[in-house]
Amino acid sequence: MGCKSSEKPKPRHRKGLWSPDEDNKLRNHILKHGHGCWSSVPIKAGLQRNGKSCRLRWINYLRPGLKRGMFSKQEETTILTLHHMLGNKWSQISQHLPGRTDNEIKNYWHSYLKKKLAKTEEMVARAKTQYTSSSSDTTDSSPSPLMENVDKSPTNIDLSTPLNYDFTKEAHQSSLPKLLFAEWLSLDHVQGGSFANSGDPVVARNGFDHNSNFQEAIMHGFLSNEGTYAGECQNGLSHGSSASEMFNTQLKFTDHMPENGLINYISGTDVNYNFNMSNDVMYI
DNA sequence: AAAAGCAGCAACCGCTTCGAA
DNA sequence: TTTCGAAGCGGTTGCTGCTTT
């Protein structure tokens, strides 16, 4: 901001892919002088591009420290978790993935993760249908505790019943450890309420607000299907909190975060207990 | 071997936000 | 207070290379 308008005559700007020569010019210029005002960068660097294009090229491709190549499982999990919390806030998500750009994450989401998630949802739907048709044969019309957690209204899933129904379990026998991170719960959850005074599985009552939704359940299934446990953390975090609160918690958490993401603390092989949420909660 | 279809990625476009004048 | 330009962001487009027919 505050750039001199005299610095920008209106040349015809080049579009399309950047040549190596253009990359070099831009890189050299910025490394030498910094970008300052982006609109003046192409002029000073001798490029027939507009400032916006230069900025984008620098941020997404030339900037030092960028990580190229495949996303790791941890990065994937981080994206899923944060996307679930924040929505399409790619720039915010990218802040939690060092070396990755918002554009890269966005592309990865659209080309890969979105489809993967859709697949899982489809699987869940199929499992639901199968269950519904099979249960209608029985005389007992009371809903299964299993299906109580599924659907109904988008905001009505009772997490007081064992959360550890994995929706994809019918297809993949997967037992999820029920893990909670103290860092992810507000002080109220930890200090207030019955947590301090009770030997009960308090987190299930306090750390969790029991208003989950179906999508979260899908998320749970999705992540567990991948052999990660972010779904648990996700559920522990998100109920009853506003997005910004969650994000703040997330920010706080990053102070302790390993370089590569959220779920480094525990791997599936490290902890492989089979908890019941109403009885056994591992509180970390 | 050629054409069609598809997926991934880089870049553009348009809108919003922010700060200076 | 208003206006204007720069920066930032997210959605979308289009090019390129790979796979399938």
Side-chain angles (χ1 to χ4, degrees):
Chain A
M1 278 180 216
C3 293
K4 299 225 166 40
S5 55
S6 62
E7 280 179 2
K8 48 167 201 159
K10 291 260 171 180
R12 196 165 275 275
H13 293 129
R14 233 177 77 84
K15 286 186 178 181
L17 293 181
W18 282 66
S19 69
D21 185 47
E22 287 178 307
D23 280 345
N24 279 334
K25 281 182 178 172
L26 181 61
R27 188 188 294 110
N28 291 338
H29 178 268
I30 292 179
L31 289 178
K32 239 182 192 170
H33 306 103
H35 59 75
C37 174
W38 280 111
S39 55
S40 65
V41 164
I43 301 160
K44 291 177 180 167
L47 292 162
Q48 254 91 56
R49 297 272 180 175
N50 63 23
K52 214 172 176 178
S53 179
C54 291
R55 177 184 158 270
L56 215 62
R57 184 64 177 171
W58 173 257
I59 289 173
N60 290 333
Y61 198 80
L62 299 173
R63 181 163 51 108
L66 285 179
K67 215 187 270 180
R68 313 295 301 179
M70 296 281 287
F71 281 76
S72 69
K73 272 271 183 285
Q74 279 169 357
E75 287 175 314
E76 196 174 292
T77 306
T78 303
I79 294 168
L80 284 163
T81 307
L82 291 176
H83 183 269
H84 184 59
M85 288 162 59
L86 303 168
N88 296 352
K89 302 286 177 195
W90 306 117
S91 64
Q92 286 182 28
I93 293 173
S94 71
Q95 285 167 16
H96 295 267
L97 292 162
R100 299 293 188 184
T101 68
D102 52 354
N103 204 38
E104 199 178 6
I105 294 168
K106 182 172 60 179
N107 282 336
Y108 188 62
W109 174 264
H110 285 305
S111 61
Y112 179 65
L113 289 180
K114 204 168 73 174
K115 292 169 193 167
K116 208 168 162 184
L117 195 58
K119 234 182 195 172
T120 309
E121 285 179 23
E122 199 184 296
M123 229 159 70
V124 172
R126 217 179 306 135
K128 269 176 64 184
T129 313
Q130 276 174 9
Y131 174 81
T132 309
S133 58
S134 65
S135 65
S136 63
D137 296 339
T138 67
T139 51
D140 180 11
S141 60
S142 63
S144 148
L146 184 151
M147 292 309 289
E148 276 177 351
N149 280 348
V150 181
D151 203 357
K152 297 180 177 174
S153 88
T155 53
N156 266 340
I157 293 176
D158 180 9
L159 289 178
S160 61
T161 56
L163 178 65
N164 57 347
Y165 172 64
D166 177 355
F167 290 100
T168 60
K169 218 173 209 167
E170 288 172 17
H172 306 271
Q173 281 297 330
S174 140
S175 62
L176 287 163
K178 304 301 154 213
L179 305 177
L180 295 169
F181 297 88
E183 287 289 336
W184 287 27
L185 300 172
S186 71
L187 285 176
D188 288 342
H189 292 137
V190 177
Q191 293 169 342
S194 60
F195 183 83
N197 314 326
S198 160
D200 289 351
V202 286
V203 178
R205 287 190 300 172
N206 297 308
F208 283 77
D209 163 336
H210 299 154
N211 292 322
S212 181
N213 61 42
F214 187 48
Q215 206 183 348
E216 284 171 342
I218 288 170
M219 184 76 181
H220 171 84
F222 178 90
L223 290 168
S224 63
N225 196 27
E226 291 302 306
T228 58
Y229 305 102
E232 308 301 326
C233 312
Q234 180 61 24
N235 280 314
L237 237 192
S238 55
H239 313 299
S241 309
S242 71
S244 61
E245 282 169 342
M246 286 186 276
F247 188 58
N248 287 339
T249 315
Q250 176 65 26
L251 285 172
K252 189 176 141 207
F253 182 71
T254 55
D255 292 340
H256 311 280
M257 214 166 69
E259 192 188 345
N260 285 332
L262 290 170
I263 320 296
N264 254 0
Y265 284 99
I266 295 173
S267 74
T269 51
D270 291 332
V271 181
N272 197 21
Y273 306 113
N274 191 17
F275 293 114
N276 180 318
M277 182 58 78
S278 59
N279 297 315
D280 307 305
V281 173
M282 175 172 273
Y283 192 79
I284 299 172

